[in-house]
Amino acid sequence: MSDETIVGYGIGQYYEYMKDKLPFRLSFLCDRRWREFGETHGGIPVISPEQLRDMGNVRVVIFGGDDTVCASIESDLEGCLAVCERAWKYLTIPYDILGKDLKQTCMEGLYRDRYNNRIYFDKTLSDKIKVTFRGSNNVLRIGAKVLTGLLRVDFGNDGICEVGTGTEFHSALISISGGRVEIGKDSLFSNGISIRCHDGHHIFLAETHKRLNYPRDVRIGNHVWVGAGAQLLPGFLIGDNSIIGAGSVSSSVFGSRLVIGGNPARVIREGVLWAKDDTNLRQHDAFGECMDKRAEKYL
């Protein structure tokens, strides 16, 4: 690769973050806003997208923070002779890690990469867990017998995520950077759930230019049932044996044995228990009739 002409496309925050982590030197930089950067940027010549097209057979490394941005840049280069690849592959390989691959390659239940990202798991790890590392110094701990339809855990930098034994996800996205997401044991997550400890972008007070929205930890207790479409935001906390209604949105702090719901979520009922017994099959009149009695462990 050292003898090739290598062009970095996208001069933004992801380039600035990645530039010192590349195993090669770029020949040129390119950007849609190329005029804003002058003839060189950091000692590397800057060219326009039109000049890149005229160069023909080169290698283009795309600096984009997500799939949407990268796909947009790739569309700019359709019909060009350039060979395109995304810069994230040089940060952590693989960029996306699946549960089935972890079990095949990490026999001792520990994955670690050169950027100090770690995953702790056991042989019961679901094949359908997908972990994305965008940065460094992250930790994921998955307890035993965690069931998933689809669980994606997306890390930025300096994040910690812990999922307790026996918890079940139908489909959920957990996003962590600069904070923690802790999920207890024996919980149940329905479909389309989002959990995040950071907002994804910065917010500042207009008068002072001081930041308002630092990451805040999210904690979900043991035996919590989370309804479809819930969005649990930075600072959210709820205690054991609680129920979060479908479509709830919250960044607040709640106690245990509660039903909460709404946007923003509020307490609907106190002093509850719940069981996983399926109401499609049976209609019980008392908790004692249920097969699932795990709620008793967390009273």
Side-chain angles (χ1 to χ4, degrees), residues 162-263:
E162 298 182 349
V163 179
T165 298
T167 287
E168 179 178 342
F169 297 86
H170 286 259
S171 68
L173 168 64
I174 305 174
S175 180
I176 314 107
S177 186
R180 305 173 68 100
V181 171
E182 297 179 5
I183 298 171
K185 301 176 182 179
D186 296 323
S187 289
L188 176 63
F189 292 77
S190 186
N191 294 295
I193 293 164
S194 174
I195 305 168
R196 55 188 312 123
C197 71
H198 66 106
D199 292 331
H201 302 286
H202 294 72
I203 302 174
F204 303 95
L205 188 64
E207 183 178 356
T208 64
H209 289 196
K210 296 294 186 181
R211 186 175 177 184
L212 295 175
N213 66 332
Y214 288 97
R216 292 186 293 159
D217 296 346
V218 173
R219 292 184 171 89
I220 299 167
N222 300 301
H223 203 249
V224 174
W225 175 11
V226 185
Q231 297 187 49
L232 310 180
L233 305 175
F236 179 78
L237 183 150
I238 195 163
D240 298 349
N241 264 321
S242 293
I243 301 167
I244 301 170
S248 298
V249 179
S250 182
S251 59
S252 298
V253 175
F254 297 94
S256 300
R257 300 186 296 282
L258 302 174
V259 178
I260 68 168
N263 181 8

Side-chain angles (χ1 to χ4, degrees), residues 96-99 127-132 150-154:
D96 291 322
I97 306 168
L98 298 177
D127 290 350
K128 295 183 179 180
I129 289 177
K130 181 179 180 181
V131 184
T132 300
L150 178 61
L151 171 62
R152 178 177 173 184
V153 186
D154 193 326

